[in-house]
Amino acid sequence: MMIATTAAPSRPAPDLPEGPSRVPGLPPREPADHRRSRNRRSAGRPGASLAVNGILLLGVAYMVLPLLWLLFAVTKDAKGLYGSSAFSPGGAFVENLQQLMTQDGGIFWRWLGNSVLYAGIGALVCGFVALMAGYAFDKFSFRGKNGLYGFVLVGVLIPNTATVIPLYLLAASVGATNTIWAVLIPAFCNPFSVYLARVFSAGYLPDETLEAARVDGAGPIRSFFSIGLPMLVPGFVTIVLFQFVAIWNNFMLPLIMLQDRDLFPSSVGIALWQSQVQQNPEFSTLVIAGSFVSILPLVLAFIGLQRFWRSGLSAGSVK
Amino acid sequence: MSVRLADRAPRTTRHPIAGTGGRTAAIFLTPFFVLFLVAMIAPVVYAIGMSLFAERRSGLGFGGTETEFVGFGNYVDVLSSETFVAGFGRLALYCLLYIPVLLGTALLFALLLDAAVAKAKRALQLLLFLPHAVPGVIAALIWAYLYTPGVSPFVSALESGGIQIDFLSVHMVLPSMVNIAVWEWAGYNMIILFTALQAVPREVLEAARVDGAGEIRTALWIKTPLIAPSLGIALLFTVIGSLQLFTEPTILSSATTAVTSTWVPNMWAYDAAFNRNNLPQAAAASIILALVAGVLSWVVTRFASKGRA
C-alpha cells in the first residue's frame, strides 16, 4: 500500500510522446507495450486464462448483441419484427431503406445532412478556437493566467443540460431560437476541448522549437500557424473527433432550440418518429432503419480513427 | 502588425522572449472567451435574473402579463414541488445505482484486459468500446425495443427460462435505464482505466509477485490503488454526466407510462418551460441543478485530490 501513492499520478499519458523526437504532423504513436514480456511469462495457467477470457467474452456479448439485434431488425418488416426470431435475417432490408429515403419527402436525408453540418462545422470551429486558447495557456505567460484557466475548468464542471434551458431563454430573448445558430454557437464552445488542447500543446510542442522560431524573427501569430499548428494536428484531430461525436449525439439542445422539422438533426428526427410509433406501429421500421443508418458513420469513424480517441481519452485522464 | 509592435517594446523586461506576454495571449484567448461568455456565462446570468421574477396575469388573463420581482419565490416553489423533489429523489437513486455499477464494470474489464492471460486485447477493447459510438437517443431506442415483450430476444429467453420480468414497469424502469447508461459508458471508462494500468511501473508488480501475491490480489491491492487518480477523474465525469439524465428517460417515456413527463429534474425543467409555460420556474430548476452539480463536482475533486496527495 505504501507504493500505491507514489508512481502513477506524475506519469505523463503513455500516448503522449516525449517532446522533440516526434515527427511533426504524424498521428501519435501507439503506447509502447512495455509489459508484453511480463505478460508472457505468467501466461501458464489454463484455468485462469479460461476465466479471464470467458468473462471478457461475456462483456463483449453484452456490448455487441444489441447492435447485432439492430443489424437483423433493419432487415425485417413490421410483422417480422414482432413475429420472427430476433437473430434471423428478414427480406425487407431494401424496402426499409427505400421507405426511410422517401418518407415525408425524403426528410431523413435532410436530417442526416443537418447532423453532418452541425457536427462538422461545430467541431472544426470548436477545435480551432480551443487549440488557440490551449496553446496560449500552455506557451504564454501573463498575469491572471491561473485564474482565467480556473474559470475554464469551472466550465468543464457545469453539466451541459443545466445550461440548455438558460441558453434557450437567452436565445428566445434575442429571437435566435429555431435558427441553425442556436445549435451551432453553443457547439463552438467546449471548455473541455481547451483543457485537452493545453495538454496536447504541452505534450507535442516543445518550448525550444517556438523559441528558436522567435529568435529567427517569426512573430507570435506566424509561429502559431507555421510551427504550432502543424505539430498540433494530431491533437486537433482528437479534439475535433470528440466534439463531433458530442454534437452528433446531442439531443436536448436541438430538441429545445428547433421547432422547424427541416432544421432537425437526425437524433431529434428519429425521436419524433419514435413518438408516433404508439399510434402507428409501422413507424418502428422507420425508426430502426434511421437508427441503423445514423450510427453507421460514427461506428466506422471510431474503428478508423482508433488511435485518436485513444489518445484523447488518455490525455483527458491526466491530472 | 501594430499589435506585434506594441507587444514588443514595453514587455521585453518581463518576458525575455518577445510575443509570449499578455497582449499576444489575448489574441489567442479572445475567440474562446467570447464564445464562453455567450454560450455559458451569459445564459446562466440571464437565467438567474429571470428566476427572481414571476409573470402574473392581470385581471382575468386578458390584460396581458406583469413581471413582478419575487426574490427566491420561484426557488421555494420549485423546491416545494412534489414532482420536482420526487424527480431529484429518482436522480439520486439512479446515481447511487449507476455510479458503482458503471465504475465497477469498467474497472473489472480494465483489470481483466490488463491480466497477463487476456487474449486479443486490441480487438476486445474496440468491441467493448463500440456502444460509445452509438448516440444516446439511438441507444435508448435500441434498448426500448430490447425491453419490449414480443420483440426482445432477451425477454423471450428469460420467459422460456421461467422468469417473467417487465423491464418497463414502475419498479424496473430505473434499473433498466441504468443498464442503458452502463452499456453506453462502460467501454469509455474502461479505456481510461486500462490506459492508466498500462503506466503502472513493472518493478512494482514484479516486487508483488516476488512477495507471493497472485494475479487477483495484485489487481485489487496493487494495481487498483495505483490508478486511483484515473478512477477519480472517471468518477468526476460520471457524476457530471449522471446529473444530465434526460435523453434516456425522454425516449423511454414514449415506450412506457412508468416514465412521467417530470421524471427527472431536467425533464421537470423542460416540462415547466414548454408544457406549463412557466419560464421563471424552468430557469430556477436549471440553476438548482447546476448548483448541485457544481457542489458535487467540487466534493469529488476535493476527495480525488486527497487520494492523490
Side-chain angles (χ1 to χ4, degrees):
Chain A
M1 284 304 275
M2 287 289 281
I3 359 154
T5 46
T6 50
S10 58
R11 296 194 145 234
D15 274 348
L16 295 179
E18 325 66 26
S21 64
R22 269 202 83 251
V23 183
L26 285 183
R29 274 186 258 131
E30 294 303 323
D33 200 356
H34 54 89
R35 292 165 58 214
R36 186 154 281 169
S37 57
R38 180 187 95 207
N39 291 347
R40 260 191 214 137
R41 214 176 308 152
S42 60
R45 286 173 304 159
S49 167
L50 207 67
V52 167
N53 290 297
I55 300 173
L56 280 171
L57 280 180
L58 273 179
V60 168
Y62 169 61
M63 297 301 179
V64 173
L65 278 181
L67 293 174
L68 216 57
W69 173 84
L70 184 67
L71 192 65
F72 282 111
V74 78
T75 66
K76 291 173 189 169
D77 54 23
K79 241 185 228 155
L81 195 63
Y82 291 89
S84 71
S85 138
F87 297 105
S88 64
F93 181 63
V94 176
E95 286 107 277
N96 285 342
L97 286 190
Q98 266 167 0
Q99 191 202 0
L100 180 72
M101 270 189 267
T102 52
Q103 179 74 30
D104 297 339
I107 197 163
F108 180 75
W109 299 110
R110 204 181 159 108
W111 291 342
L112 213 54
N114 290 339
S115 280
V116 171
L117 177 86
Y118 299 146
I121 294 183
L124 282 174
V125 173
C126 169
F128 190 71
V129 166
L131 208 59
M132 286 206 302
Y135 174 85
F137 276 124
D138 176 46
K139 296 293 183 238
F140 296 160
S141 55
F142 50 91
R143 231 183 295 169
K145 178 159 122 170
N146 290 337
L148 215 52
Y149 190 63
F151 202 38
V152 175
L153 292 187
V154 170
V156 175
L157 299 182
I158 298 176
N160 275 329
T161 57
T163 60
V164 166
I165 287 190
L167 207 57
Y168 168 80
L169 300 173
L170 187 69
S173 75
V174 297
T177 54
N178 203 25
T179 64
I180 61 170
W181 300 107
V183 181
L184 269 181
I185 290 176
F188 291 156
C189 168
N190 183 349
F192 187 65
S193 299
V194 175
Y195 168 83
L196 280 181
R198 188 182 186 172
V199 172
F200 282 124
S201 172
Y204 288 152
L205 198 54
D207 293 351
E208 300 81 43
T209 316
L210 285 176
E211 273 164 35
R214 289 195 184 108
V215 169
D216 288 347
I221 306 222
R222 218 182 106 190
S223 301
F224 173 71
F225 280 100
S226 61
I227 296 161
L229 212 52
M231 288 178 82
L232 287 172
V233 162
F236 179 71
V237 175
T238 306
I239 293 167
V240 169
L241 175 70
F242 272 70
Q243 186 67 357
F244 185 92
V245 173
I247 302 170
W248 189 283
N249 292 356
N250 198 346
F251 174 65
M252 193 177 176
L253 178 75
L255 175 76
I256 286 180
M257 288 291 187
L258 306 173
Q259 286 90 51
D260 183 354
R261 281 173 40 152
D262 283 349
L263 294 178
F264 283 0
S266 55
S267 58
V268 178
I270 293 173
L272 176 75
W273 278 346
Q274 168 68 15
S275 66
Q276 290 161 19
V277 164
Q278 278 189 331
Q279 289 90 47
N280 186 357
E282 294 287 310
F283 268 82
S284 53
T285 56
L286 273 176
V287 169
I288 286 168
S291 302
F292 174 80
V293 171
S294 76
I295 67 170
L296 221 50
L298 285 185
V299 169
L300 292 178
F302 266 98
I303 294 174
L305 298 170
Q306 275 195 65
R307 55 158 63 98
F308 292 105
W309 55 256
R310 265 175 226 273
S311 77
L313 282 175
S314 53
S317 64
V318 190
K319 171 155 87 154
Chain B
M1 248 350 224
S2 61
V3 177
R4 222 166 74 195
L5 289 175
D7 181 61
R8 248 174 216 181
R11 293 204 164 236
T12 36
T13 44
R14 233 188 304 147
H15 306 289
I17 298 147
T20 59
R23 287 184 198 212
T24 356
I27 303 173
F28 285 87
L29 290 174
T30 301
F32 172 75
F33 278 98
V34 167
L35 285 168
F36 191 54
L37 204 70
V38 170
M40 290 188 94
I41 307 299
V44 170
V45 171
Y46 184 75
I48 291 175
M50 189 175 219
S51 69
L52 302 176
F53 291 86
E55 283 175 6
R56 303 240 186 263
R57 296 229 160 84
S58 51
L60 291 165
F62 297 110
T65 54
E66 277 170 24
T67 308
E68 183 190 347
F69 183 79
V70 292
F72 290 108
N74 283 314
Y75 291 89
V76 173
D77 287 349
V78 170
L79 289 171
S80 56
S81 151
E82 259 176 53
T83 47
F84 185 80
V85 173
F88 239 107
R90 276 188 210 104
L91 187 63
L93 199 62
Y94 171 87
C95 289
L96 279 179
L97 200 61
Y98 170 58
I99 294 171
V101 170
L102 174 80
L103 293 181
T105 310
L107 182 64
L108 173 72
F109 287 143
L111 287 170
L112 286 174
L113 269 180
D114 191 61
V117 289
K119 303 237 160 61
K121 297 183 186 198
R122 290 190 70 84
L124 285 181
Q125 272 184 73
L126 179 65
L127 288 173
L128 289 168
F129 183 77
L130 212 50
H132 190 69
V134 178
V137 169
I138 314 279
L141 282 172
I142 293 176
W143 280 100
Y145 282 101
L146 290 177
Y147 290 146
T148 307
V151 182
S152 170
F154 304 127
V155 172
S156 53
L158 285 171
E159 263 170 15
S160 62
I163 306 167
Q164 293 248 350
I165 300 178
D166 181 1
F167 287 102
L168 297 172
S169 65
V170 179
H171 297 292
M172 276 305 292
V173 80
L174 190 113
S176 297
M177 226 170 280
V178 167
N179 171 57
I180 301 176
V182 169
W183 185 75
E184 283 176 84
W185 288 93
Y188 181 94
N189 288 286
M190 172 207 70
I191 303 262
I192 290 180
L193 299 178
F194 180 71
T195 311
L197 282 171
Q198 297 277 293
V200 169
R202 213 168 128 180
E203 309 82 60
V204 174
L205 299 176
E206 241 139 55
R209 186 162 301 126
V210 170
D211 288 349
E215 282 263 9
I216 295 177
R217 272 178 62 185
T218 311
L220 288 180
W221 300 112
I222 314 274
K223 288 180 183 175
T224 306
L226 274 172
I227 60 162
S230 294
L231 266 170
I233 296 277
L235 176 65
L236 178 64
F237 282 111
T238 305
V239 168
I240 299 172
S242 331
L243 293 171
Q244 314 215 20
L245 190 63
F246 177 80
T247 305
E248 291 85 355
T250 302
I251 297 294
L252 285 190
S253 70
S254 72
T256 170
T257 52
V259 180
T260 57
S261 61
T262 56
W263 209 72
V264 282
N266 260 328
M267 289 175 76
W268 194 95
Y270 179 88
D271 189 62
F274 298 101
N275 296 333
R276 285 179 275 137
N277 292 318
N278 195 332
L279 297 180
Q281 280 199 4
S286 291
I287 299 300
I288 291 171
L289 194 62
L291 270 178
V292 171
V295 170
L296 273 180
S297 306
W298 182 76
V299 170
V300 172
T301 317
R302 284 293 299 256
F303 173 74
S305 60
K306 240 181 215 165
R308 262 177 228 167

